[in-house]
Amino acid sequence: MAFLTGTLSPPVYARADERPACEQNGITVYRNFPGAAFDSCAFSKDGTVEFVIRPEDKEINPSPWYAFRVVSNASRRLPVVLNYGRIKHRYLPDVNYDGHTWQPLNDAQVISNPDETRVQFSVALHPAHATTVAAQPLLAGADYRAWIDSLDSATVSTKEIGRSPLNNPLWRLTTAPKTHTLLLIGRQHPPETTGAIAMLAFMERLFAQDELAREFRQQVGILAYPLLNPDGVELGYWRHNTGSQDLNRDWGPFTQIETRSVASDIDEYLGEHATTLIKSIDFHSTWYEVFYTQEDATADNFPALLGNWMTEFERAMKTWRPDFALNRKPSHNADRPTAKSYFFERYGVASTTLEIGDATPDAYTGRYAQLAAESFMRVWLEQSR
Ligand SMILES: [Zn+2]
């Protein structure tokens, strides 16, 4: 998995033209990079820098994202406070000293107040490089672009199907169209980077050149929209797009450009290639790994596929991690305009929300997603024989 090595991401150094957000005694804090976010920052007399962390809109899912960059004229440690107001701390900081590698801080390094609305930790500063701190390792539009450019263009075609309100590209990736199509979407919610990593690893497995993936792509075309909310990602939002909407509550109303563009492109693609959807998967992150699915055998198209996939995935995971137990929650909330409900009702397919834990290590996420893709391909090929 080329992506998971992290070497494709451009270096994240401060640029000379950035305006400081706050500074004191040769230490300067910046937020002018994709994904950067905090409301304000201020130094106290003892040299601690305190960040006020606020959501983009009121009444929002508690995913308190933050990201900032610090440049220093000398080597020293910087005490940092994150002040969340009334919201609880959620994401342990990841620190990047070299522009490539993210080092997670652990629970012992991050001191919380009793109600978890304020945390304290420290980071190292060095004059030779910037120190970047983020709620999760950054995965912004440029990183997706670099990943897309690394794909084999003989296997995967990329198309810009439209632009977001802030003029960021909405990408579509496809393999050769076939009579059957697997639909994948991701990054409706900006902070959910572990789900995004799962989606990239899942796609890399589908795009591979081994016999399993080649045989699968002979029968099933892949239709993928990896970055639904590029504006929210660039701006370091907690949940919404710039229209103050949760995009995963807009599948039906379609009041937002992002969801409307993707939904109409899916319809066009399926019509143009006279192809049938077999399944949809929407990648997210939450506190732990979980599959939100429909009940078994409730889909019109290929009703056995979902249950067979879940069984085969659990079996495959157990060969790697014998104590693995599948966490699956079947439900159907017809009144909530989520992507999951929309694809189930409109196309008659089992639609799954694949969630990865916020703190799940990339190596585990990558293998989990690979095995999810492999087991899906195997189950499909078995039932089509
Ligand atoms: Zn989500």
Side-chain angles (χ1 to χ4, degrees):
M1 284 172 297
F3 182 79
L4 296 175
T5 64
T7 53
L8 292 168
S9 304
V12 282
Y13 292 109
R15 292 195 307 268
D17 61 350
E18 288 173 343
R19 280 184 308 131
C22 59
E23 55 191 321
Q24 178 173 284
N25 297 336
I27 302 174
T28 312
V29 178
Y30 297 94
R31 74 175 133 210
N32 191 12
F33 59 94
F38 53 88
D39 189 69
S40 62
C41 65
F43 283 89
S44 61
K45 279 189 193 134
D46 72 358
T48 300
V49 60
E50 177 165 330
F51 293 87
V52 174
I53 311 299
R54 294 257 183 276
E56 63 273 16
D57 293 302
K58 285 180 186 152
E59 305 298 323
I60 204 166
N61 179 286
S63 309
W65 176 269
Y66 54 86
F68 56 88
R69 182 167 298 155
V70 188
V71 172
S72 172
N73 63 2
S75 291
R76 54 190 135 194
R77 285 202 79 81
L78 175 68
V80 176
V81 167
L82 303 180
N83 175 353
Y84 295 104
R86 292 198 305 273
I87 303 287
K88 282 188 181 184
H89 168 71
R90 175 165 178 176
Y91 303 108
L92 282 171
D94 287 272
V95 187
N96 190 320
Y97 295 110
D98 64 0
H100 294 286
T101 320
W102 291 94
Q103 300 175 19
L105 297 187
N106 60 41
D107 277 317
Q109 294 167 306
V110 180
I111 311 301
S112 173
N113 69 345
D115 66 4
E116 299 173 51
T117 58
R118 190 181 166 89
V119 298
Q120 192 159 8
F121 56 92
S122 72
V123 294
L125 303 180
H126 192 275
H129 57 75
T131 296
T132 305
V133 179
Q136 297 280 24
L138 295 170
L139 184 61
D143 303 303
Y144 282 86
R145 180 75 251 182
W147 180 80
I148 288 169
D149 289 344
S150 77
L151 296 171
D152 171 21
S153 60
T155 304
V156 186
S157 302
T158 307
K159 183 185 172 189
E160 192 183 303
I161 61 149
R163 291 262 166 156
S164 67
L166 294 187
N167 207 32
N168 286 309
L170 297 168
W171 286 303
R172 176 183 91 183
L173 306 183
T174 52
T175 56
K178 301 292 173 184
T179 52
H180 294 111
T181 298
L182 171 63
L183 172 63
L184 309 173
I185 70 170
R187 209 71 187 277
Q188 297 199 75
H189 297 146
E192 300 182 9
T193 55
T194 57
I197 285 166
M199 183 181 186
L200 299 183
F202 191 98
M203 288 191 287
E204 285 182 3
R205 189 64 192 86
L206 297 178
F207 298 156
Q209 299 305 332
D210 66 317
E211 197 181 330
L212 175 66
R214 282 172 174 274
E215 198 185 342
F216 180 75
R217 294 198 307 270
Q218 288 295 321
Q219 298 187 18
V220 179
I222 294 144
L223 174 62
Y225 303 85
L227 180 53
L228 265 281
N229 188 357
D231 296 350
V233 167
E234 295 300 294
L235 295 170
Y237 279 3
W238 294 17
R239 186 76 169 183
H240 290 168
N241 69 344
T242 52
S244 297
Q245 294 298 313
D246 180 342
L247 293 178
N248 203 26
R249 300 293 181 274
D250 193 44
W251 294 89
F254 292 118
T255 62
Q256 302 302 303
I257 288 170
E258 297 91 331
T259 32
R260 206 160 55 227
S261 303
V262 170
S264 68
D265 193 69
I266 293 168
D267 269 351
E268 270 171 43
Y269 179 92
L270 297 176
E272 183 185 338
H273 299 290
T275 176
T276 305
L277 216 53
I278 62 168
K279 170 149 197 66
S280 71
I281 307 174
D282 180 15
F283 293 80
H284 288 256
S285 304
T286 185
W287 306 96
Y288 39 73
E289 281 76 60
V290 57
F291 287 84
Y292 293 109
T293 70
Q294 280 85 38
E295 299 284 354
D296 277 0
T298 54
D300 296 336
N301 295 355
F302 306 99
L305 193 55
L306 170 65
N308 290 345
W309 177 40
M310 292 289 91
T311 302
E312 175 62 8
F313 172 67
E314 185 170 33
R315 189 202 62 74
M317 282 294 291
K318 278 176 184 292
T319 64
W320 177 47
R321 297 285 171 105
D323 58 349
F324 176 77
L326 181 72
N327 187 16
R328 174 185 170 192
K329 295 200 165 68
S331 69
H332 177 56
N333 300 312
D335 49 340
R336 277 212 306 192
T338 60
K340 175 170 169 276
S341 293
Y342 177 78
F343 296 133
F344 176 72
E345 285 168 15
R346 181 166 182 85
Y347 301 111
V349 292
S351 60
T352 294
T353 310
L354 190 162
E355 304 255 9
I356 301 292
D358 294 332
T360 301
D362 287 356
Y364 184 92
T365 301
R367 187 74 184 130
Y368 182 96
Q370 274 185 341
L371 291 173
E374 281 175 16
S375 55
F376 185 79
M377 292 190 285
R378 273 199 300 272
V379 163
W380 170 265
L381 291 172
E382 264 163 40
Q383 63 90 51
S384 70
R385 274 188 188 110

